PDB file of all heavy atoms in Angstrom:
ATOM      1  N   THR A   9     191.463 -64.335 177.247  1.00  0.00           N
ATOM      2  CA  THR A   9     191.398 -63.283 178.259  1.00  0.00           C
ATOM      3  C   THR A   9     192.643 -63.329 179.130  1.00  0.00           C
ATOM      4  O   THR A   9     193.030 -64.400 179.612  1.00  0.00           O
ATOM      5  CB  THR A   9     190.141 -63.495 179.132  1.00  0.00           C
ATOM      6  OG1 THR A   9     189.015 -63.584 178.276  1.00  0.00           O
ATOM      7  CG2 THR A   9     189.951 -62.344 180.090  1.00  0.00           C
ATOM      8  N   ARG A  30     197.165 -69.940 194.961  1.00  0.00           N
ATOM      9  CA  ARG A  30     195.866 -69.263 195.122  1.00  0.00           C
ATOM     10  C   ARG A  30     195.585 -68.280 193.986  1.00  0.00           C
ATOM     11  O   ARG A  30     194.435 -68.072 193.592  1.00  0.00           O
ATOM     12  CB  ARG A  30     195.824 -68.546 196.474  1.00  0.00           C
ATOM     13  CG  ARG A  30     195.801 -69.551 197.605  1.00  0.00           C
ATOM     14  CD  ARG A  30     195.793 -68.879 198.937  1.00  0.00           C
ATOM     15  NE  ARG A  30     196.208 -69.830 199.960  1.00  0.00           N
ATOM     16  CZ  ARG A  30     195.973 -69.699 201.245  1.00  0.00           C
ATOM     17  NH1 ARG A  30     195.341 -68.638 201.695  1.00  0.00           N
ATOM     18  NH2 ARG A  30     196.398 -70.620 202.089  1.00  0.00           N
ATOM     19  N   SER A  50     211.781 -58.824 190.824  1.00  0.00           N
ATOM     20  CA  SER A  50     212.134 -60.189 191.180  1.00  0.00           C
ATOM     21  C   SER A  50     211.161 -61.182 190.535  1.00  0.00           C
ATOM     22  O   SER A  50     210.004 -60.833 190.257  1.00  0.00           O
ATOM     23  CB  SER A  50     212.086 -60.353 192.708  1.00  0.00           C
ATOM     24  OG  SER A  50     212.506 -61.651 193.081  1.00  0.00           O
ATOM     25  N   ALA A  61     200.981 -73.929 186.854  1.00  0.00           N
ATOM     26  CA  ALA A  61     200.292 -73.564 185.609  1.00  0.00           C
ATOM     27  C   ALA A  61     200.251 -74.769 184.668  1.00  0.00           C
ATOM     28  O   ALA A  61     199.229 -75.039 184.048  1.00  0.00           O
ATOM     29  CB  ALA A  61     200.992 -72.386 184.939  1.00  0.00           C
ATOM     30  N   ALA A  71     207.461 -63.133 184.217  1.00  0.00           N
ATOM     31  CA  ALA A  71     207.347 -61.661 184.223  1.00  0.00           C
ATOM     32  C   ALA A  71     207.968 -61.067 185.467  1.00  0.00           C
ATOM     33  O   ALA A  71     208.262 -61.768 186.456  1.00  0.00           O
ATOM     34  CB  ALA A  71     205.876 -61.273 184.133  1.00  0.00           C
ATOM     35  N   LEU A  83     206.624 -53.277 183.011  1.00  0.00           N
ATOM     36  CA  LEU A  83     206.272 -54.691 183.051  1.00  0.00           C
ATOM     37  C   LEU A  83     207.095 -55.422 182.001  1.00  0.00           C
ATOM     38  O   LEU A  83     207.028 -55.077 180.826  1.00  0.00           O
ATOM     39  CB  LEU A  83     204.775 -54.802 182.747  1.00  0.00           C
ATOM     40  CG  LEU A  83     204.093 -56.139 182.955  1.00  0.00           C
ATOM     41  CD1 LEU A  83     204.063 -56.488 184.431  1.00  0.00           C
ATOM     42  CD2 LEU A  83     202.675 -56.058 182.393  1.00  0.00           C
ATOM     43  N   PRO A  89     211.623 -68.913 180.627  1.00  0.00           N
ATOM     44  CA  PRO A  89     211.892 -68.641 182.043  1.00  0.00           C
ATOM     45  C   PRO A  89     213.362 -68.264 182.289  1.00  0.00           C
ATOM     46  O   PRO A  89     213.650 -67.410 183.131  1.00  0.00           O
ATOM     47  CB  PRO A  89     211.560 -69.957 182.749  1.00  0.00           C
ATOM     48  CG  PRO A  89     210.671 -70.695 181.811  1.00  0.00           C
ATOM     49  CD  PRO A  89     211.007 -70.237 180.423  1.00  0.00           C
ATOM     50  N   MET A  95     217.178 -61.708 183.434  1.00  0.00           N
ATOM     51  CA  MET A  95     216.813 -60.308 183.717  1.00  0.00           C
ATOM     52  C   MET A  95     216.865 -60.059 185.225  1.00  0.00           C
ATOM     53  O   MET A  95     217.335 -59.002 185.670  1.00  0.00           O
ATOM     54  CB  MET A  95     215.406 -60.040 183.185  1.00  0.00           C
ATOM     55  CG  MET A  95     215.017 -58.593 183.139  1.00  0.00           C
ATOM     56  SD  MET A  95     215.969 -57.666 181.908  1.00  0.00           S
ATOM     57  CE  MET A  95     216.203 -56.108 182.748  1.00  0.00           C
ATOM     58  N   GLN A  96     216.433 -61.033 185.998  1.00  0.00           N
ATOM     59  CA  GLN A  96     216.464 -60.877 187.468  1.00  0.00           C
ATOM     60  C   GLN A  96     217.911 -60.660 187.948  1.00  0.00           C
ATOM     61  O   GLN A  96     218.164 -59.844 188.829  1.00  0.00           O
ATOM     62  CB  GLN A  96     215.870 -62.107 188.125  1.00  0.00           C
ATOM     63  CG  GLN A  96     215.886 -62.072 189.649  1.00  0.00           C
ATOM     64  CD  GLN A  96     215.292 -63.322 190.280  1.00  0.00           C
ATOM     65  OE1 GLN A  96     214.209 -63.283 190.813  1.00  0.00           O
ATOM     66  NE2 GLN A  96     215.999 -64.431 190.210  1.00  0.00           N
ATOM     67  N   LEU A 103     220.355 -53.167 191.858  1.00  0.00           N
ATOM     68  CA  LEU A 103     219.652 -52.669 193.056  1.00  0.00           C
ATOM     69  C   LEU A 103     220.699 -52.233 194.095  1.00  0.00           C
ATOM     70  O   LEU A 103     221.762 -52.849 194.196  1.00  0.00           O
ATOM     71  CB  LEU A 103     218.795 -53.776 193.674  1.00  0.00           C
ATOM     72  CG  LEU A 103     217.411 -54.014 193.104  1.00  0.00           C
ATOM     73  CD1 LEU A 103     216.822 -55.285 193.730  1.00  0.00           C
ATOM     74  CD2 LEU A 103     216.479 -52.845 193.333  1.00  0.00           C
ATOM     75  N   ALA A 105     222.916 -52.323 197.005  1.00  0.00           N
ATOM     76  CA  ALA A 105     223.295 -53.556 197.701  1.00  0.00           C
ATOM     77  C   ALA A 105     222.979 -53.492 199.203  1.00  0.00           C
ATOM     78  O   ALA A 105     222.765 -54.513 199.845  1.00  0.00           O
ATOM     79  CB  ALA A 105     224.771 -53.839 197.479  1.00  0.00           C
ATOM     80  N   GLN A 117     208.573 -60.436 202.092  1.00  0.00           N
ATOM     81  CA  GLN A 117     208.778 -60.804 200.684  1.00  0.00           C
ATOM     82  C   GLN A 117     208.990 -62.315 200.644  1.00  0.00           C
ATOM     83  O   GLN A 117     210.100 -62.796 200.839  1.00  0.00           O
ATOM     84  CB  GLN A 117     209.986 -60.052 200.119  1.00  0.00           C
ATOM     85  CG  GLN A 117     209.816 -58.527 200.246  1.00  0.00           C
ATOM     86  CD  GLN A 117     211.031 -57.723 199.794  1.00  0.00           C
ATOM     87  OE1 GLN A 117     210.882 -56.641 199.285  1.00  0.00           O
ATOM     88  NE2 GLN A 117     212.233 -58.250 200.005  1.00  0.00           N
ATOM     89  N   VAL A 118     207.889 -63.034 200.431  1.00  0.00           N
ATOM     90  CA  VAL A 118     207.883 -64.472 200.671  1.00  0.00           C
ATOM     91  C   VAL A 118     208.073 -65.281 199.394  1.00  0.00           C
ATOM     92  O   VAL A 118     207.374 -65.093 198.415  1.00  0.00           O
ATOM     93  CB  VAL A 118     206.555 -64.898 201.327  1.00  0.00           C
ATOM     94  CG1 VAL A 118     206.681 -66.307 201.911  1.00  0.00           C
ATOM     95  CG2 VAL A 118     206.110 -63.926 202.404  1.00  0.00           C
ATOM     96  N   GLY A 144     217.727 -47.898 178.773  1.00  0.00           N
ATOM     97  CA  GLY A 144     218.571 -49.079 178.865  1.00  0.00           C
ATOM     98  C   GLY A 144     217.795 -50.283 179.400  1.00  0.00           C
ATOM     99  O   GLY A 144     218.025 -51.422 178.992  1.00  0.00           O
ATOM    100  N   ALA A 158     204.806 -50.313 179.504  1.00  0.00           N
ATOM    101  CA  ALA A 158     204.811 -49.247 180.516  1.00  0.00           C
ATOM    102  C   ALA A 158     203.650 -49.482 181.476  1.00  0.00           C
ATOM    103  O   ALA A 158     202.500 -49.531 181.055  1.00  0.00           O
ATOM    104  CB  ALA A 158     204.688 -47.875 179.834  1.00  0.00           C
ATOM    105  N   SER A 187     195.141 -48.537 183.699  1.00  0.00           N
ATOM    106  CA  SER A 187     194.603 -49.196 184.884  1.00  0.00           C
ATOM    107  C   SER A 187     193.089 -49.398 184.796  1.00  0.00           C
ATOM    108  O   SER A 187     192.582 -50.486 184.881  1.00  0.00           O
ATOM    109  CB  SER A 187     194.894 -48.387 186.142  1.00  0.00           C
ATOM    110  OG  SER A 187     196.268 -48.193 186.255  1.00  0.00           O
ATOM    111  N   ARG A 204     195.130 -53.651 179.403  1.00  0.00           N
ATOM    112  CA  ARG A 204     194.590 -53.363 180.726  1.00  0.00           C
ATOM    113  C   ARG A 204     194.821 -54.583 181.598  1.00  0.00           C
ATOM    114  O   ARG A 204     194.535 -55.703 181.174  1.00  0.00           O
ATOM    115  CB  ARG A 204     193.088 -53.080 180.619  1.00  0.00           C
ATOM    116  CG  ARG A 204     192.580 -52.048 181.595  1.00  0.00           C
ATOM    117  CD  ARG A 204     191.072 -52.005 181.596  1.00  0.00           C
ATOM    118  NE  ARG A 204     190.430 -51.213 180.561  1.00  0.00           N
ATOM    119  CZ  ARG A 204     190.323 -49.885 180.579  1.00  0.00           C
ATOM    120  NH1 ARG A 204     190.839 -49.192 181.582  1.00  0.00           N
ATOM    121  NH2 ARG A 204     189.686 -49.247 179.633  1.00  0.00           N
ATOM    122  N   SER A 205     195.380 -54.378 182.798  1.00  0.00           N
ATOM    123  CA  SER A 205     195.605 -55.473 183.729  1.00  0.00           C
ATOM    124  C   SER A 205     195.262 -55.008 185.131  1.00  0.00           C
ATOM    125  O   SER A 205     195.137 -53.810 185.374  1.00  0.00           O
ATOM    126  CB  SER A 205     197.069 -55.929 183.693  1.00  0.00           C
ATOM    127  OG  SER A 205     197.376 -56.502 182.431  1.00  0.00           O
ATOM    128  N   ASP A 207     196.959 -55.280 188.106  1.00  0.00           N
ATOM    129  CA  ASP A 207     197.977 -54.908 189.097  1.00  0.00           C
ATOM    130  C   ASP A 207     197.497 -55.376 190.487  1.00  0.00           C
ATOM    131  O   ASP A 207     197.633 -54.673 191.478  1.00  0.00           O
ATOM    132  CB  ASP A 207     198.236 -53.391 189.089  1.00  0.00           C
ATOM    133  CG  ASP A 207     199.491 -52.979 189.822  1.00  0.00           C
ATOM    134  OD1 ASP A 207     200.254 -53.880 190.230  1.00  0.00           O
ATOM    135  OD2 ASP A 207     199.700 -51.764 189.984  1.00  0.00           O
ATOM    136  N   LYS A 216     190.142 -58.520 187.599  1.00  0.00           N
ATOM    137  CA  LYS A 216     189.128 -57.455 187.612  1.00  0.00           C
ATOM    138  C   LYS A 216     189.364 -56.426 186.500  1.00  0.00           C
ATOM    139  O   LYS A 216     188.441 -55.768 186.048  1.00  0.00           O
ATOM    140  CB  LYS A 216     189.073 -56.760 188.978  1.00  0.00           C
ATOM    141  CG  LYS A 216     188.482 -57.654 190.066  1.00  0.00           C
ATOM    142  CD  LYS A 216     187.010 -58.035 189.758  1.00  0.00           C
ATOM    143  CE  LYS A 216     186.406 -58.912 190.841  1.00  0.00           C
ATOM    144  NZ  LYS A 216     186.374 -60.340 190.474  1.00  0.00           N
ATOM    145  N   PHE A 221     192.663 -60.740 174.005  1.00  0.00           N
ATOM    146  CA  PHE A 221     193.572 -60.839 172.860  1.00  0.00           C
ATOM    147  C   PHE A 221     192.976 -61.797 171.815  1.00  0.00           C
ATOM    148  O   PHE A 221     192.589 -62.919 172.159  1.00  0.00           O
ATOM    149  CB  PHE A 221     194.921 -61.411 173.286  1.00  0.00           C
ATOM    150  CG  PHE A 221     195.790 -60.458 174.064  1.00  0.00           C
ATOM    151  CD1 PHE A 221     195.813 -60.500 175.465  1.00  0.00           C
ATOM    152  CD2 PHE A 221     196.603 -59.524 173.403  1.00  0.00           C
ATOM    153  CE1 PHE A 221     196.617 -59.621 176.184  1.00  0.00           C
ATOM    154  CE2 PHE A 221     197.401 -58.655 174.140  1.00  0.00           C
ATOM    155  CZ  PHE A 221     197.404 -58.699 175.526  1.00  0.00           C
ATOM    156  N   GLU A 224     195.841 -66.932 167.808  1.00  0.00           N
ATOM    157  CA  GLU A 224     195.726 -68.326 167.361  1.00  0.00           C
ATOM    158  C   GLU A 224     196.006 -69.311 168.494  1.00  0.00           C
ATOM    159  O   GLU A 224     195.754 -70.506 168.360  1.00  0.00           O
ATOM    160  CB  GLU A 224     196.709 -68.576 166.196  1.00  0.00           C
ATOM    161  CG  GLU A 224     196.278 -67.797 164.948  1.00  0.00           C
ATOM    162  CD  GLU A 224     197.201 -68.058 163.761  1.00  0.00           C
ATOM    163  OE1 GLU A 224     198.128 -68.884 163.865  1.00  0.00           O
ATOM    164  OE2 GLU A 224     196.983 -67.406 162.729  1.00  0.00           O
ATOM    165  N   VAL A 244     192.304 -56.031 172.795  1.00  0.00           N
ATOM    166  CA  VAL A 244     191.084 -55.229 172.955  1.00  0.00           C
ATOM    167  C   VAL A 244     190.867 -54.954 174.444  1.00  0.00           C
ATOM    168  O   VAL A 244     190.897 -55.879 175.247  1.00  0.00           O
ATOM    169  CB  VAL A 244     189.845 -55.996 172.392  1.00  0.00           C
ATOM    170  CG1 VAL A 244     188.579 -55.163 172.580  1.00  0.00           C
ATOM    171  CG2 VAL A 244     190.044 -56.334 170.931  1.00  0.00           C
TER     172      VAL A 244
END
Side-chain angles (χ1 to χ4, degrees):
T9 306
R30 292 179 199 199
S50 184
L83 191 66
M95 192 68 217
Q96 179 180 253
L103 276 172
Q117 301 176 148
V118 195
S187 303
R204 215 190 277 282
S205 294
D207 195 7
K216 289 298 180 259
F221 286 97
E224 292 182 4
V244 179

